[in-house]
Amino acid sequence: MVARILRDAGMEVVYTGLYKSPKDVVQAAIQEDVDVIGVSLLSGSHVPLFRELCRCLREEGAEHVLVVAGGVIPEQDYPALLECGVDAIVPQEARAGLIVTAITDLVAARGRI
């Protein structure tokens, strides 16, 4: 659903599917030359997953790729995610417009639009 919302807002979306490792996601991002990786989670694994994702980006020299987290993420975990390299966190209750605005504003702030 989120991929459709972003596509309908005019963004090009590369959907990698379910059950991809952080390394797989980073490799796809590099191959597709993306500006942003967005991951939405419904499990409690968000902190270790995003730590590994950001570590893989640094390891591949792709720190320029922005990382947006979404889904079910408790606010008390926000500092840990931001510290490991997540650029923005979209709250679970965010409506479609907020998701699009958050990503567009983040990319614009980095001078990529």
Side-chain angles (χ1 to χ4, degrees), residues 95-107:
R95 297 186 185 273
L98 178 61
I99 296 168
V100 171
T101 299
I103 293 171
T104 303
D105 289 351
L106 182 62
V107 171

Side-chain angles (χ1 to χ4, degrees), residues 1-90:
M1 184 168 109
V2 174
R4 185 177 300 142
I5 290 166
L6 297 174
R7 185 200 64 214
D8 291 349
M11 296 180 194
E12 182 177 347
V13 176
V14 178
Y15 179 73
T16 59
L18 301 173
Y19 310 115
K20 298 295 182 193
S21 72
K23 186 173 183 170
D24 291 340
V25 172
V26 167
Q27 289 301 313
I30 291 168
Q31 290 171 357
E32 295 292 335
D33 193 27
V34 303
D35 292 314
V36 179
I37 293 175
V39 178
S40 179
L41 299 170
L42 298 175
S43 69
S45 63
H46 49 276
V47 174
L49 186 142
F50 279 105
R51 279 189 183 135
E52 180 65 9
L53 181 72
C54 293
R55 186 194 68 74
C56 288
L57 283 169
R58 287 189 299 275
E59 187 177 273
E60 293 293 332
E63 302 94 335
H64 63 280
V65 176
L66 302 170
V67 177
V68 177
V72 181
I73 300 174
E75 282 189 46
Q76 66 263 26
D77 291 340
Y78 285 19
L81 294 176
L82 296 170
E83 183 179 309
C84 78
V86 171
D87 296 288
I89 302 166
V90 179

